[in-house]
Amino acid sequence: MTVNAPRFETQIQYHRRRIEELKPVRQPWESEWQGIAEFIDPTRLRLTNRDERSVSRKAIIDSSGTFAYRTLKSGMHSGLTSPARPWFRLTTFDPDLKDFAPVKEYLAAVEQRMREVFQGSNIYNAFHTGYGDLALFGQPCGILVDDDDSLIRMQQLLNGRFWIARDEKGRATTMYRQFRWSVQRIVSRFGYAAVSRVSNSIKTLYDNGKYDQIFDVWHAIEPRLQREPGMIDKKNKPFLSNYWLDATTDNNGLLEESGFDENPIICPVWELAGDDHYSTSPAQDALGDVKMLQKEQGRKLEAIDKQVRPPMTGPTSLRNNPASLLPGSVTYVDDPTGKGYRPAMEVNANLQYLREDIRDVQERLRQFFYADLFLMLTNMEGIQPRNTMEIAERKEEKLLALGPVLENVYAGQLEPVIDRTFAILNRRRELPPPPRELQNQDLKIEYISILAQAQKAVATGAIERFSGFVGQLAAVKPDVLDKLDADEVADQYGDMLGVPPSIIVPDDEVKKIRDGRAQKQKQAEQAQMMATVAPAMKDGADAASVLATAGQNPGGQALLQQIGIG
């Protein structure tokens, strides 16, 4: 079946035409990426179609840019998706429903199962790599797939080896990639029959035991425009996933024709400009300073070298005679002038100003990559809520600057990963059955990582200040407490701090507890009143006064009704 391709094209012809249309869109970014990789991290870019080999870091004299980039990479990972603590939770859009005990228990169980799956997969390693690509090139690209062993697996792609297109909402929905695999890898992944069908060359090499020859493989993921929605086979899924070999191979067939039930492309952005498909990055902003730092450090080393080992002049009589400039050595020469070797120039470079400028550039790089913010987060003792409020108060301007980026990561990476993982687990029946109250209800994702809490800390400070003000005012006018919904304050404050739902009692359970407490209080008042009324009724002594007093309190009224006097 041909999908997405016009009638005059085969499926492979369509894919090959599409990739040629995508290449010019990315081409203007490539020269910028080359400079970034050359001076910061050469391992994360591969624009040329070359085999695996070690990369050169000869352009990096001062590694301050690399260190700042790695700090941002690790800071984003620990601040947003630390595997050591919960960083998301599920809730409902209905504020009353989310406090219902069966719903809270179900959501807590789902969260726990998803965290177990994340811990058992490679998702955190992929996140860590992806945050680095986000800082360098503006967008990482990964493919979230099912896995028989770990349920999910993220294929984090190498920048320069993929091409993307975004939809009208800015979400990457089309991805074409190229990778180089050995004969053994290709046969192991796609099967001997599929490889034999499309490539006589690979089949012959495999049959002859030549497993390590390299071939180019292409992979396309995009929305499937022509399909039968009622069908559930791989060729009718909403997103196609097709593999084929490069044009140099023998036959013209797909290695594999498959698909996904949801968009598997995870491709967040740092900051998109207009309708661009590729994003800007902090490394692009910092590239000029990174290059300047290398030049300044080179000039500083050159000046030091000239002072330590200045250029020398000497008599021509020494041209073919043994000579040494080592400390303590002696060179014998017949020189009428008596001067022998001497410096060709006096070098008395004052390096103070150069060192100061280098420090300024290094500080700017730390600011470009938010290294000062993330190092502060790392140095904070513990992860208690009070510390996150201190972060917001002390570094609020930096968090505000990072805020839009965090929102892009939430929408472009974390939410798609959580949604697709939930769908995969649900199809595999790995989740508990939901309560009937959640039927046809959408779930809401809330983020409770260190950075998310730091963003919310301003709001918790407002709650604290308001509650403190009402408490002070209540000392003068107690009935002002009627204006404060203490239950709602507790719920909102707990939500903002990311408190585990299991330690906050649901509203329906609170009502039962309070009703039981009120009932016990009522029974105690009735018992006390009975002890007072019964003797008076028996003795006939001032019974009218006793009954009047009893009728003034709720417990007494209930007692009078019970004995038929009320």
Side-chain angles (χ1 to χ4, degrees):
M1 179 179 67
T2 300
V3 292
N4 288 23
R7 294 181 179 179
F8 60 85
E9 288 181 315
T10 65
Q11 187 64 49
I12 283 189
Q13 288 173 338
Y14 163 77
H15 285 317
R16 287 173 177 160
R17 174 175 59 82
R18 186 77 194 279
I19 185 58
E20 293 304 319
E21 294 171 352
L22 291 175
K23 285 180 179 179
V25 178
R26 197 192 75 178
Q27 191 272 334
W29 298 86
E30 294 176 359
S31 60
E32 191 95 351
W33 293 348
Q34 275 185 308
I36 291 171
E38 182 181 4
F39 290 100
I40 298 180
D41 187 356
T43 65
R44 293 307 303 161
L45 180 69
R46 191 167 298 171
L47 291 172
T48 58
N49 194 14
R50 62 174 175 81
D51 295 335
E52 180 179 346
R53 67 171 183 263
S54 62
V55 296
S56 172
R57 291 181 170 84
K58 64 181 180 181
I60 303 175
I61 302 173
D62 187 308
S63 59
S64 298
T66 304
F67 180 75
Y69 139 75
R70 288 179 178 173
T71 302
L72 172 59
K73 177 180 176 180
S74 299
M76 293 279 283
H77 184 49
S78 61
L80 281 176
T81 51
S82 171
R85 56 162 292 162
W87 50 270
F88 77 96
R89 68 180 174 197
L90 303 177
T91 183
T92 64
F93 290 93
D94 186 343
D96 296 325
L97 187 60
K98 73 177 183 180
D99 291 328
F100 186 53
V103 172
K104 291 186 70 171
E105 292 172 0
Y106 166 77
L107 294 178
V110 171
E111 291 168 18
Q112 181 60 30
R113 181 59 183 139
M114 292 181 71
R115 291 189 186 110
E116 291 172 354
V117 171
F118 288 153
Q119 289 281 3
S121 71
N122 72 329
I123 198 78
Y124 288 115
N125 291 333
F127 280 170
H128 186 252
T129 302
Y131 291 134
D133 289 349
L134 184 68
L136 289 178
F137 309 112
Q139 64 279 309
C141 190
I143 308 171
L144 187 62
V145 299
D146 297 65
D147 188 84
D148 292 335
D149 297 325
S150 58
L151 298 179
I152 63 168
R153 178 168 51 87
M154 178 80 88
Q155 299 175 10
Q156 197 67 39
L157 307 183
L158 192 62
N159 212 69
R161 308 309 295 151
F162 63 84
W163 295 259
I164 58 172
R166 300 184 182 274
D167 62 12
E168 70 280 1
K169 297 180 181 179
R171 175 85 190 271
T173 54
T174 297
M175 187 277 303
Y176 279 62
R177 68 180 178 120
Q178 184 186 29
F179 51 94
R180 294 175 63 77
W181 270 8
S182 66
V183 169
Q184 183 169 358
R185 276 188 175 185
I186 294 173
V187 174
S188 176
R189 167 63 178 81
F190 300 103
Y192 182 80
V195 173
S196 301
R197 175 173 49 83
V198 301
S199 176
N200 294 327
S201 300
I202 297 180
K203 175 181 180 298
T204 302
L205 289 169
Y206 187 81
D207 291 341
N208 293 332
K210 298 180 179 179
Y211 302 132
D212 297 313
Q213 188 162 331
I214 301 297
F215 287 83
D216 290 326
V217 182
W218 286 88
H219 181 205
I221 298 174
E222 60 182 338
R224 182 175 267 122
L225 303 180
Q226 301 172 26
R227 67 187 185 95
E228 296 293 336
M231 303 292 288
I232 60 174
D233 61 306
K234 291 183 177 181
K235 297 182 180 181
N236 282 286
K237 291 184 180 293
F239 283 81
L240 67 82
S241 173
N242 294 342
Y243 292 86
W244 70 97
L245 293 167
D246 206 2
T248 57
T249 52
D250 310 292
N251 303 322
N252 194 24
L254 293 172
L255 270 173
E256 180 180 275
E257 185 176 6
S258 184
F260 296 101
D261 292 290
E262 303 88 23
N263 182 4
I265 305 169
I266 309 299
C267 191
V269 298
W270 186 272
E271 184 178 6
L272 277 179
D275 296 324
D276 287 352
H277 295 278
Y278 296 91
S279 169
T280 60
S281 70
Q284 288 175 309
D285 298 332
L287 184 56
D289 280 316
V290 172
K291 290 181 177 180
M292 181 169 65
L293 185 60
Q294 311 311 315
K295 181 167 288 189
E296 287 189 328
Q297 288 285 21
R299 294 283 171 81
K300 186 187 76 173
L301 293 174
E302 181 182 350
I304 293 173
D305 199 32
K306 284 183 177 179
Q307 286 183 318
V308 176
R309 300 181 62 188
M312 305 293 291
T313 63
T316 57
S317 59
L318 287 178
R319 178 175 297 170
N320 297 318
N321 293 332
S324 175
L325 297 178
L326 295 176
S329 64
V330 178
T331 299
Y332 296 97
V333 57
D334 295 326
D335 185 2
T337 65
K339 293 182 178 179
Y341 279 113
R342 61 186 183 275
M345 57 185 296
E346 295 293 334
V347 180
N348 293 312
N350 187 349
L351 301 179
Q352 176 184 353
Y353 301 111
L354 186 57
R355 289 193 180 100
E356 289 178 357
D357 194 64
I358 287 174
R359 283 194 292 268
D360 290 342
V361 176
Q362 291 171 334
E363 179 59 28
R364 284 202 300 272
L365 290 178
R366 284 190 285 270
Q367 293 175 355
F368 273 127
F369 287 103
Y370 301 90
D372 49 352
L373 169 64
F374 286 113
L375 288 177
M376 180 203 65
L377 289 171
T378 303
N379 293 333
M380 292 293 289
E381 295 182 1
I383 51 174
Q384 297 302 317
R386 176 66 60 182
N387 287 336
T388 58
M389 286 190 291
E390 290 174 7
I391 293 170
E393 292 170 0
R394 292 164 51 189
K395 295 290 183 180
E396 182 177 346
E397 74 285 353
K398 295 185 181 296
L399 288 168
L400 290 176
L402 199 59
V405 177
L406 299 183
E407 295 299 328
N408 289 339
V409 174
Y410 295 152
Q413 174 176 302
L414 304 188
E415 183 178 337
V417 166
I418 293 171
D419 285 346
R420 178 152 165 76
T421 301
F422 182 91
I424 291 173
L425 296 182
N426 195 41
R427 280 194 296 271
R428 289 175 172 258
R429 301 184 183 277
E430 292 281 341
L431 299 177
R436 59 182 180 82
E437 290 80 7
L438 282 181
Q439 296 295 329
N440 301 320
Q441 292 285 334
D442 291 330
L443 297 183
K444 177 182 176 183
I445 303 171
E446 291 185 353
Y447 301 102
I448 54 175
S449 63
I450 295 175
L451 284 174
Q453 289 180 235
Q455 287 182 293
K456 296 177 181 179
V458 176
T460 61
I463 291 177
E464 285 188 345
R465 290 192 298 271
F466 177 71
S467 301
F469 171 76
V470 171
Q472 294 175 359
L473 196 59
V476 180
K477 188 175 175 59
D479 49 350
V480 75
L481 292 174
D482 297 335
K483 293 289 292 181
L484 185 67
D485 188 340
D487 287 354
E488 186 64 16
V489 168
D491 287 340
Q492 291 289 341
Y493 200 85
D495 285 345
M496 292 175 182
L497 296 182
V499 173
S502 58
I503 69 173
I504 299 179
V505 181
D507 288 348
D508 53 332
E509 295 292 334
V510 171
K511 186 176 184 303
K512 292 179 182 178
I513 293 172
R514 288 174 177 171
D515 288 346
R517 186 185 300 124
Q519 182 66 26
K520 290 180 180 179
Q521 184 178 357
K522 181 179 176 181
Q523 292 173 352
E525 291 175 350
Q526 288 178 351
Q528 182 181 3
M529 190 59 62
M530 179 65 76
T532 304
V533 172
M537 294 289 292
K538 181 178 180 181
D539 298 339
D542 201 11
S545 175
V546 173
L547 292 174
T549 302
Q552 292 176 1
N553 102 22
Q557 292 173 3
L559 176 61
L560 294 179
Q561 291 175 0
Q562 182 178 346
I563 61 178
I565 300 180

